[in-house]
């Protein structure tokens, strides 16, 4: 199981990817599934184990997300 974050802009997705990398949290940038959002073409996939830390980083860095989704 993993979490998929969608964003309002490409800038926010790339910023989040850099924040996660700087904090040694593994993520994978993937194309946003069209059934989820048409706002930004990128989404970040993270491990469910990292959800708490990622949530803290989003708040701390004032990152604007469009949605958070659970996937198997």
């Amino acid at each position: 199981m993993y979490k998929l974050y969608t964003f309002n802009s490409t800038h926010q997705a790339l910023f989040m990817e850099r924040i996660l990398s700087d904090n040694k949290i593994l993520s994978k940038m993937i194309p946003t599934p069209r059934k989820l959002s048409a706002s930004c073409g990128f989404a970040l996939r993270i491990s469910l184990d990292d959800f708490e830390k990622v949530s803290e980083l989003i708040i701390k860095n004032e990152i604007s997300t469009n949605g958070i989704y659970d996937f198997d």
Side-chain angles (χ1 to χ4, degrees):
M1 185 148 208
Y2 62 91
K3 294 280 189 179
L4 188 67
Y5 286 82
T6 59
F7 300 89
N8 295 316
S9 71
T10 301
H11 173 76
Q12 290 293 301
L14 295 173
F15 181 50
M16 186 67 202
E17 182 181 43
R18 190 179 86 230
I19 295 294
L20 295 178
S21 177
D22 290 349
N23 284 275
K24 312 260 187 293
I25 296 173
L26 294 177
S27 67
K28 183 174 183 174
M29 184 79 70
I30 65 169
T32 302
R34 288 293 159 218
K35 66 181 180 180
L36 299 181
S37 175
S39 296
C40 170
F42 297 109
L44 276 175
R45 178 180 164 169
I46 65 153
S47 166
L48 190 58
D49 295 337
D50 293 323
F51 179 68
E52 295 275 333
K53 181 66 176 168
V54 172
S55 296
E56 291 171 12
L57 290 169
I58 286 172
I59 292 167
K60 178 181 175 184
N61 292 283
E62 300 177 353
I63 296 170
S64 176
T65 62
N66 191 29
I68 304 168
Y69 303 90
D70 294 322
F71 280 86
D72 289 325

